[in-house]
Amino acid sequence: MSYRFSSARRLSCALIATTALTLCAGSAFAASVDHYTLTKNGVTLEISAPRADIIRVRAGDPALPEDASWAVSQAVRAQHVPLNVTEAADAVTVSTGEASVKIDPNTLAVSVYDKAGHVVLADAKGAALQFDPDHLGQGFRLRKAMPVDAHYFGLGDKTGPLDRRNEAFTNWNTDNFGFGVATDPLYKSIPFVLGVDEKGQSFGFFMDNTWRSTFDFGKTEPDALDINVQGGGVDYYVMTGATPADIVQDYTYLTGKPPLTPEWALGFQQSHWSYMTQAEAKGIADRLRADKIPSDAIWLDIDYQDKLRPFTVNKETFPDLPKLVSDLKAENMHLVVITDLHIAAAPNAGYAPYDDGMKKDIFVHKADGSTFVGPVWPGDAVFPDFSRVAARDWWGEQYKDFVRMGVSGFWNDMNEPSVFNTPTKTMPLDNIHRIEEPGFATRNATHAEMHNVFGMLNTEATYDGVLKLNPDQRPFVMTRASYAGGQKFAATWTGDNSSSWAHLQLSVSQLVNLGLSGFAYAGDDIGGFAGDQPSPELLTRWIEVGAFNPIFRDHYQKDKPAQEVWVNGPDQEAIRRQYIDERYRLMPYIYSLADENSRTGLPLMRPVFMAYPKVVAGGDHLGGTDGYFMLGADLLVAPPTTWESPAAYKVTLPGSGWYDYWSGEKLASDSTMETPKLDRLPVFVRPGSIIPKQPLTQSTGETPVGPLTLDIYPGDDCHGFIYQDDGISFAYKAGHFLRQSFTCKITKSGLSVDFAAREGDYKPWWTGVTLLIHGQAAAAKASLKGKALNADFDASAHTLRIDLPDQAKAATVTIQP
Ligand code: GLC
């Protein structure tokens, strides 16, 4: 049911007679409808709500844009909660019961309120919505009010500080080799903003529009978020949920959650542009194993290909790729290969992807209808038109041989798309794409419209194609370019960073903002891609931080000195190994976060304000927490503010009672002084954490030997959980997983640790569990169902260690003096 009126027909009782609820009283009325449309001066505005706490606003001049999206599924867009509409001469109120919208019928200015009546997001004073602001015949401009105490996050891995306030950004996927700490735009366009004010109130704003756009967060006009979009219609969502964590979940409700990753992709990965031969690649794997550097994958960059042509193999340098795959497999190592989207324009050369693609008319056309050709790595190249299902299917089939030989992961690079030797670094904006997509009207679209979504559609084609070829295995795709919702298809990395302290620092805000923008699986080139060789200290520090990032891959540019873990000698290697080891010990915790992400959309790597929104009241730098990050809800990583400086610095934690992760010691207050030491990355644990850990392995494919350890850090709201499955297949969807939560309570006489009953039927690798309780001052006795358990007190570590058999059912361990 819908309701629509124009100003000429406003307040007509007859017109509303068909709606479910009608009320005519004097000059106002109320009605219940599933979307509400208003027209003023030829502009049409529509309000609807896919969920009671999410408002969708569409507008067009004169007509509404097509109700289609590359980011929000049809199923989500088809949901409409009932709206109660109240009209008066100066304001229309549309309410879902959870949120409401006030529209000024004269200016079409829109303000969104939460249930309690607080403003969530209001249009700025003055012109709120303008079509064709540049008088180029298309596009629009929106201005939203920026309250003084509001801070803004999201937009993916933009450079600059974590907080976007006072910055301006362009959404236009761009290959920006060796970008600086203020370069914009970069590779991805994710027009999603998370706003948090100093009272902790949050909102989300997602502009579902693929055209080039700019978001100016008060840089030009203080207190106004000025959004300019160069084409298409207005189609945005306002999420009114209360906390930052709610908003991120709401955003992934709209745009989708990442599928559960194969576990090996959470391991350490080694890459280089390029390992030039099969022997070299195998040698890197062998060295990782010989040096006992836990690791899970080796990556092949473009030089494994014949003449740099995608979907070929250089038989001289890689004579037997299937053997490399099986040799690596024997070492529990996975192979990831690059497969760029630019198919070499090589006619009459026996290059099947070109010949077949041309025959089937797969590639993007120029405005004159001929196939567009542009230079990239292989020289002249053509580009599949990924907006056609047929082209995506065709692309997916190209993976047949690689999937058959057991290659585990695929890397989609250069998919902005990058085109060399053009001032715009990409294809002409008037190139023609064909939209042949369920849910869309079939039509031609210019590259200007499709550019920002092209890389994501490339990854959709890869993900779907690889899945179809091997339906029992979780695909792993890595992408450089993407759009909102691209997290459903691929992990991502931040592109061609440089080996500098500034870039290491930048990686924190880039990865945190990616996580807030849906991309939970994100990493950067550890050690830096471009620039000079990293100093030994820089590479060591980068590995330390990377050990707590979601994706952990060392990668570096051609012709740069080696950047593997062992360069710079055994002392540096020992520190680096210690951190990589720790990541593998923490794997049960990290993989459990991956499970949580696949169910909720909550990122693995988080800003401190996600769990502690009060830090937002700490000003521009969020009380100094903008350089910190959290891995899950429990671990807080506080790198030095000036990485290379030996000066002591203060770490301020969001509350008291935190523990030092490395020593297990409980901190006396909510802050602590740190003196930088190369082998120490300060990491702290939330009081109330229960962290599952495993004995060290050399890869995620190796079965740990020994008990599952639950590191317990007593405090309020004490809980944790573990998720396990086979790490690689979809068997978990049929119940072959294990999920178990734990809680702990400080009781009058001691402590109790509760195991909840286990979900799923996956058989764990452990038969015993060790509880390692931190912050203990004295020895204690432990018991389970009235039977005494062995409890060892370590006075110097302040820990109590209790060993018990595996507990699949609900059970309580009681600890008393
Ligand atoms: C791009 C990628 C980089 C890769 C190189 C060669 O610059 O960002 O990671 O190594 O291309 O494929």
Side-chain angles (χ1 to χ4, degrees), residues 175 177 187 272-273 301-302 338 340 377 411 413-414 480 493 495-496 525 529 553 555-556:
D175 177 1
F177 168 80
Y187 311 89
H272 170 41
W273 175 20
D301 206 325
I302 51 176
I338 201 163
D340 289 343
W377 297 129
W411 180 12
D413 187 22
M414 308 298 278
R480 196 171 67 178
W493 92 109
D496 297 341
D525 285 350
F529 176 76
R553 183 186 72 145
H555 177 61
Y556 61 102

Side-chain angles (χ1 to χ4, degrees), residues 189-200:
S189 296
I190 310 177
F192 165 68
V193 177
L194 163 64
V196 188
D197 71 22
E198 294 181 3
K199 296 176 285 303

Side-chain angles (χ1 to χ4, degrees), residues 403-617:
V403 168
R404 194 183 297 141
M405 70 176 84
V407 174
S408 301
F410 298 98
W411 180 12
N412 291 160
D413 187 22
M414 308 298 278
N415 49 0
E416 294 71 29
S418 179
V419 179
F420 296 161
N421 307 333
T422 65
T424 59
K425 301 181 176 194
T426 192
M427 55 175 73
L429 299 190
D430 62 354
N431 268 6
I432 301 296
H433 299 254
R434 182 88 186 140
I435 298 179
E436 289 171 4
E437 173 79 8
F440 280 78
T442 299
R443 62 180 170 93
N444 287 346
T446 60
H447 187 65
E449 177 180 349
M450 297 308 296
H451 177 83
N452 281 341
V453 82
F454 198 63
M456 179 177 86
L457 295 177
N458 171 214
T459 64
E460 179 175 3
T462 308
Y463 185 90
D464 289 352
V466 169
L467 180 62
K468 202 164 160 193
L469 290 163
N470 192 356
D472 296 330
Q473 204 163 301
R474 302 173 211 168
F476 177 75
V477 182
M478 172 62 85
T479 190
R480 196 171 67 178
S482 204
Y483 176 68
Q487 68 270 12
K488 298 189 289 287
F489 313 114
T492 193
W493 92 109
T494 59
D496 297 341
N497 63 356
S498 293
S499 297
S500 69
W501 292 101
H503 269 267
L504 172 52
Q505 183 110 28
L506 178 66
S507 74
V508 174
S509 63
Q510 287 196 301
L511 299 179
V512 164
N513 272 314
L514 273 171
L516 294 175
S517 311
F519 279 86
Y521 298 115
D524 61 328
D525 285 350
I526 298 290
F529 176 76
D532 296 334
Q533 182 184 29
S535 67
E537 293 75 20
L538 176 59
L539 182 55
T540 297
R541 280 293 195 201
W542 216 314
I543 289 171
E544 293 175 2
V545 174
F548 294 89
N549 291 163
I551 296 286
F552 186 22
R553 183 186 72 145
D554 179 332
H555 177 61
Y556 61 102
Q557 201 191 341
K558 205 166 196 156
D559 301 326
K560 209 176 157 189
Q563 202 165 293
E564 284 76 18
V565 180
W566 46 81
V567 303
N568 314 121
D571 292 350
Q572 297 290 343
E573 187 181 11
I575 302 175
R576 296 166 187 171
R577 181 189 299 106
Q578 184 193 319
Y579 280 82
I580 301 173
D581 283 355
E582 196 60 28
R583 181 174 181 101
Y584 279 77
R585 291 197 186 93
L586 269 173
M587 198 54 81
Y589 175 72
I590 298 173
Y591 192 50
S592 301
L593 293 176
D595 163 59
E596 179 183 62
N597 170 257
S598 71
R599 292 181 287 117
T600 65
L602 288 173
L604 281 68
M605 181 165 163
R606 306 171 183 177
V608 174
F609 72 74
M610 179 164 262
Y612 304 93
K614 284 203 184 108
V615 301
V616 171

